[in-house]
Amino acid sequence: MSAIRYLKSKRSIDIIIISISILLAGSLFIVAFHLLPIENTSLGLDWRSIWESINRGHVQFGNQGDTIGGMFTPPWGILFLLPFSFLPFRESWALISYITLIILCLVVPKLKNQKIDIISIFLLVLSFPSLRNLADGNLEGLVIAGIALIVWGYNTSAPILLSLGILLATIKFQETWLFCFVILYYIKNNWLVSKKRRMLVILGITITASLLLWGEKWLEALFITNPNEVGLTSVMGRGSLIDISLSATLSRLGLSKSIIPVIGLLILGITIWCIKCNPPGSFWSWQHTALLISASMLLAPYVSGNSFLTIVAIGIVPLLKNDRFLGIALMILAYIPYLMSRNFLYSYQAYYWTGLVFITWVILAWKCLSMSSQPKEVDITE
């Protein structure tokens, strides 16, 4: 009994020490962001757009009011962002960035070799997409957390975890839409009715309530550019130099508009075929996840270059531990933009990320087809 009490006491002390360390590090993070000389720079541009669009709970979508660039986050995503709206800009930017860093550290698959785990964390956190997300104040960390929760919820048959994951992952639905549709299909076939019902109730209540609050304005901002035109708005950046979707890249290169949908359907067909050839069953692997995320990005109507961080975290880091050569090669490619000139990044960065998403998709498709067993040792939820 005394040994059990000792172990419980030691665990409690460890939890207290870890909690204090996290709070202290977060406080230092806020102080550092408060002192950053960001005037006349683009630092925090994405977060400023979001923060001004939800400032003190007053939600605005698209280019309304004084927002910079506009916000198109779906209404259920607003529920996660509202607490930040009551903080000053710098403090809220620091907090969302700190949460992103914690999420990146947690989603790195853990092996028995602690040194490799630490190296993997540093490679992810210090990669160009990671630091670019922190500099811009993007929401990629929440999306990555959502994807990990979906996989965890599926593998443990936990409706609450999976529902929370779907709500978070679809904050940027353009990079998770195919993944969510496919995993919902397997839930339909593999889960007990009671668990499916519980998941649908949680999602239904949350999504319906948020749509009643902000749905009309969100849909107007997303689909209506003027009274005579309906379609995904160009205000989002669709087709611009920051759009890394396959359709935008091929259009900028001058490819015929009639060929682009054919290429998209081919990628979609190959992706679904790879999943069907090696179905997940009761265990959802990182290969299935990363393949569907990369395909989602390629086939989306609009995706920004910042979204490549999700592929690094969900696809490349696990690959680094499963296939050292391919993982290192892709990780090096994720670091290459550090060596690019500012002018090159401005004009050609989107092409680079599109190409890298496509290369990653090809590798993951091959990995899914060649899987002989599920590699649980690199499960992103462990």
Side-chain angles (χ1 to χ4, degrees), residues 54-187:
I54 59 172
N55 195 11
R56 298 191 177 278
H58 180 60
V59 179
Q60 300 179 94
F61 293 95
N63 283 328
Q64 301 177 20
D66 299 323
T67 61
I68 304 170
M71 181 182 71
F72 299 88
T73 303
W76 52 91
I78 303 300
L79 299 173
F80 298 100
L81 300 177
L82 274 182
F84 298 96
S85 72
F86 297 96
L87 296 173
F89 166 69
R90 285 175 177 264
E91 283 72 8
S92 60
W93 177 31
L95 191 57
I96 195 72
S97 299
Y98 183 58
I99 290 172
T100 297
L101 282 178
I102 292 174
I103 290 168
L104 291 179
C105 293
L106 290 176
V107 298
V108 170
K110 306 303 185 291
L111 297 178
K112 293 180 180 179
N113 192 325
Q114 194 173 20
K115 289 183 180 179
I116 295 178
D117 292 340
I118 293 172
I119 291 172
S120 298
I121 289 172
F122 273 102
L123 285 174
L124 173 58
V125 169
L126 298 177
S127 67
F128 184 90
S130 174
L131 294 189
R132 181 60 191 264
N133 268 265
L134 296 178
D136 290 347
N138 212 282
L139 302 178
E140 219 59 44
L142 299 182
V143 177
I144 293 169
I147 294 168
L149 284 172
I150 289 173
V151 177
W152 188 9
Y154 181 91
N155 291 343
T156 58
S157 298
I160 295 176
L161 287 178
L162 197 136
S163 301
L164 179 59
I166 289 176
L167 294 171
L168 281 168
T170 52
I171 283 178
K172 299 182 76 171
F173 50 89
Q174 63 268 33
E175 62 184 84
T176 59
W177 64 274
L178 183 57
F179 168 60
C180 289
F181 278 133
V182 172
I183 205 163
L184 285 173
Y185 170 79
Y186 279 96
I187 286 170

Side-chain angles (χ1 to χ4, degrees), residues 134-262:
L134 296 178
D136 290 347
N138 212 282
L139 302 178
E140 219 59 44
L142 299 182
V143 177
I144 293 169
I147 294 168
L149 284 172
I150 289 173
V151 177
W152 188 9
Y154 181 91
N155 291 343
T156 58
S157 298
I160 295 176
L161 287 178
L162 197 136
S163 301
L164 179 59
I166 289 176
L167 294 171
L168 281 168
T170 52
I171 283 178
K172 299 182 76 171
F173 50 89
Q174 63 268 33
E175 62 184 84
T176 59
W177 64 274
L178 183 57
F179 168 60
C180 289
F181 278 133
V182 172
I183 205 163
L184 285 173
Y185 170 79
Y186 279 96
I187 286 170
K188 172 181 170 293
N189 292 335
N190 296 329
W191 274 26
L192 296 173
V193 173
S194 59
K195 295 196 173 185
K196 286 189 284 188
R197 188 182 296 121
R198 198 178 311 165
M199 181 197 73
L200 289 173
V201 168
I202 295 169
L203 289 176
I205 291 174
T206 307
I207 292 174
T208 301
S210 64
L211 285 173
L212 288 173
L213 286 170
W214 305 297
E216 184 179 355
K217 290 183 178 179
W218 173 61
L219 290 172
E220 285 180 2
L222 192 63
F223 288 104
I224 302 176
T225 56
N226 63 62
N228 300 317
E229 181 181 355
V230 177
L232 274 173
T233 173
S234 60
V235 177
M236 287 181 67
R238 187 183 183 194
S240 69
L241 283 176
I242 65 171
D243 189 350
I244 69 168
S245 67
L246 190 67
S247 60
T249 300
L250 295 179
S251 295
R252 288 194 301 264
L253 291 172
L255 197 68
S256 171
K257 289 186 177 181
S258 60
I259 298 176
I260 294 174
V262 176

Side-chain angles (χ1 to χ4, degrees), residues 6-19:
Y6 171 76
L7 289 173
K8 287 183 177 179
S9 174
K10 188 177 184 299
R11 187 177 180 184
S12 300
I13 293 171
D14 290 341
I15 292 172
I16 292 171
I17 292 173
I18 291 171
S19 301

Side-chain angles (χ1 to χ4, degrees), residues 19-40:
S19 301
I20 292 173
S21 299
I22 290 173
L23 290 173
L24 187 60
S27 301
L28 293 174
F29 218 74
I30 291 172
V31 171
F33 271 64
H34 191 76
L35 298 174
L36 277 175
I38 65 171
E39 290 74 16
N40 301 317

